Amino acid sequence: MAQARTGTSAHIAYIDGLKGLCGIWICLFHYLLAFAAFGYIGWESGIPQAERAGYYFRYFPYSILSNGSFPLYVFFAVIAFLPALRFFQNGKAESVKRQAVIRYFRLMPPVLVCALCAYAVFACGGFFNQDLAAHLDNNWDRAFYTAPLSWTGALANGLFDALWNGNSDYCSVLWCMNVILFGSYFSYGALLFFGSLRRRFWVYAAFFLLSFTAPVYTAFLGGLAAADVLAARGGAAQSGRWGGLLALAGLVAGIFPEVLLPSGLTEQTLFGIGAFLLLLGCARSAALQKLLSRSWLVRAGELSFALVLTHFTVLMSFSAWFFLAVQGQGLSYVPALTLTLATAVPVNYAFTLLFKLFAEGPAERFAHWIYRCVA
């Protein structure tokens, strides 16, 4: 059986594997945007609205990868899925209340370390994204670190501004920290207030309609609903094809071209629907659980939050410098990009391990200490 631990525990092997796959995808996505943004039509792409469809399909199917925001929304769904699954399986709210108490204190220290590390690199002149932008004529690279940073700003960013306002001046990935914080509390609130109602799926339907006003939170609703459906059906994986088909449908929804969406349906809403189907499909498929429970993927999942928070600083400093340096030595574009990606793997892995050891690990202990103090 692919599930290494029980479904009511803090970790489920195939979910960790899914998180690991998404973390690697997010990292690769940002590297592609920095060095090979062919077909990219999103934020700061510089592609006019009327030309986006043509530009997207000119580089299809590569443009699926260069517009790959879906894995981040799978992360959002997982954040809601895990506590919801435990709640619906055992009917106890204690773990949800515990998470509600410690959530800010679990997130804040790693975010603070991320912001302070970015400032340290900036103060040492270690960011080369503007040079890379000029070299590749890349608008996405050009969008970052255009204003001076300060250690007091990094402190404020880590303690408050990123988590409550989504400020990403110090690290681009910090824009989603307030989404994670507010989405987590939405999930906890939904479980505590509506999780015991017999007809709560009507509540989900109402929340889904409301989510059109804030579609970034649709993925959290998808995680809640997937956990509820799974718990209601007993949670056992099956050997048939339905799980795989559901997961495939979720993946298709997640990579569906934004330029083909009808008016009124946002990409983020489709991400939420896709995450719901993907989670449900993985939970119902023994084959997918076996695949996702491979040890290296599970380990990647355990490191995924650290990877997400560290890779952008590595990308805009070391990797940008390395690419420019090897091109400056006369190496052509493709070999230079290949070497850059190859060196990025061990460097990102090393910084991820350090971050896990010195930032994320202490944050977990700090959050649990806070809970013991207030419980």
Side-chain angles (χ1 to χ4, degrees), residues 227-307:
D228 206 348
V229 171
L230 177 61
R233 294 181 62 87
Q238 300 173 346
S239 58
R241 298 178 179 178
W242 281 107
L245 291 174
L246 283 171
L248 179 60
L251 184 61
V252 170
I255 64 174
F256 193 83
E258 178 186 3
V259 292
L260 296 182
L261 290 178
S263 178
L265 181 62
T266 69
E267 189 178 33
Q268 293 168 328
T269 298
L270 205 58
F271 288 158
I273 296 171
F276 164 75
L277 294 172
L278 181 61
L279 282 173
L280 199 57
C282 290
R284 303 300 294 175
S285 171
L288 283 176
Q289 288 191 18
K290 182 178 180 180
L291 179 65
L292 292 170
S293 296
R294 295 180 181 274
S295 59
W296 69 273
L297 271 178
V298 172
R299 179 56 175 162
E302 294 168 351
L303 297 172
S304 58
F305 187 55
L307 174 62

Side-chain angles (χ1 to χ4, degrees), residues 37-60 62-64 66-67 69 139-140 256-261 265-267:
F38 309 115
Y40 174 60
I41 58 172
W43 175 81
E44 292 293 341
S45 64
I47 308 299
Q49 185 70 38
E51 300 176 14
R52 288 185 177 182
Y55 187 71
Y56 180 93
F57 287 107
R58 185 186 311 165
Y59 294 99
F60 185 85
Y62 177 84
S63 48
I64 292 175
S66 62
N67 290 275
S69 297
N139 286 331
W140 189 79
F256 193 83
E258 178 186 3
V259 292
L260 296 182
L261 290 178
L265 181 62
T266 69
E267 189 178 33

Side-chain angles (χ1 to χ4, degrees), residues 105-124:
F105 302 101
R106 172 65 181 83
L107 292 174
M108 181 272 293
V111 171
L112 177 60
V113 173
C114 176
L116 289 172
C117 287
Y119 169 68
V121 173
F122 176 86
C124 294

